[in-house]
Amino acid sequence: KTLYDLIYYQDSKKRTLVVEEIDQLNGKETLLLFEGYDELPAQLQRDEDSILLQIVSGKCLPEATVLVTSRHSASGFLRNQHWRRISQHIEILGFTKENIQTYINENVKDSE
């Protein structure tokens, strides 16, 4: 895959112009969002030649701001392999069973 393959734009001529401009600026003033890293096949998550990891590592588009979302279980590789490039790591924890029960008890009125 290439950067062109990652950018969605219905008009292929405009798509080409967008990709060329992003490339010429090395990604400056560009936000790239990769949602669902953990949903990629394991091979793609670790393929250092993939366009995704080239961007995450800063080898491609070094000026771009990159946001990668992933479940905790798959984020370790990115943190371990590309820690120099990662400026922030934010973990959003879900509700535990106890949290859910407490919320229900405190916020849901009994219909009796």
Side-chain angles (χ1 to χ4, degrees), residues 22 25-32 34 55-56 58 60-67 85:
I22 290 171
L25 295 172
N26 283 322
K28 187 175 182 178
E29 298 182 13
T30 303
L31 170 65
L32 296 170
F34 298 106
I55 291 171
V56 169
C60 178
L61 304 177
E63 299 291 322
T65 299
V66 181
L67 177 62
R85 173 93 163 126

Side-chain angles (χ1 to χ4, degrees), residues 11-104:
D11 182 327
S12 63
K13 288 181 183 178
K14 287 184 181 178
R15 180 179 179 185
T16 300
L17 292 173
V18 167
V19 170
E20 287 174 356
E21 185 167 343
I22 290 171
D23 193 39
Q24 287 173 357
L25 295 172
N26 283 322
K28 187 175 182 178
E29 298 182 13
T30 303
L31 170 65
L32 296 170
L33 170 63
F34 298 106
E35 202 280 321
Y37 171 80
D38 58 293
E39 296 174 16
L40 291 172
Q43 178 185 354
L44 287 178
Q45 290 180 20
R46 289 169 171 72
D47 181 0
E48 294 291 335
D49 293 327
S50 73
I51 189 67
L52 169 65
L53 290 184
Q54 291 287 313
I55 291 171
V56 169
S57 69
K59 293 175 185 169
C60 178
L61 304 177
E63 299 291 322
T65 299
V66 181
L67 177 62
V68 180
T69 67
S70 175
R71 288 183 181 87
H72 178 76
S73 59
S75 65
F77 175 78
L78 289 177
R79 285 194 317 270
N80 293 333
Q81 297 298 315
H82 302 289
W83 61 270
R84 289 181 195 92
R85 173 93 163 126
I86 296 174
S87 62
Q88 296 265 338
H89 174 254
I90 300 169
E91 185 171 342
I92 300 172
L93 301 174
F95 286 106
T96 64
K97 289 181 181 181
E98 293 81 20
N99 295 137
I100 294 169
Q101 190 61 51
T102 300
Y103 179 85
I104 291 171

Side-chain angles (χ1 to χ4, degrees), residues 1-8 15 32 34 51-52 55:
K1 297 269 181 186
T2 66
L3 181 59
Y4 183 84
D5 297 320
L6 295 177
I7 305 294
Y8 174 78
R15 180 179 179 185
L32 296 170
F34 298 106
I51 189 67
L52 169 65
I55 291 171

Side-chain angles (χ1 to χ4, degrees), residues 100-112:
I100 294 169
Q101 190 61 51
T102 300
Y103 179 85
I104 291 171
N105 292 341
E106 292 176 0
N107 296 292
V108 177
K109 303 256 187 230
D110 208 359
S111 61
E112 292 181 46

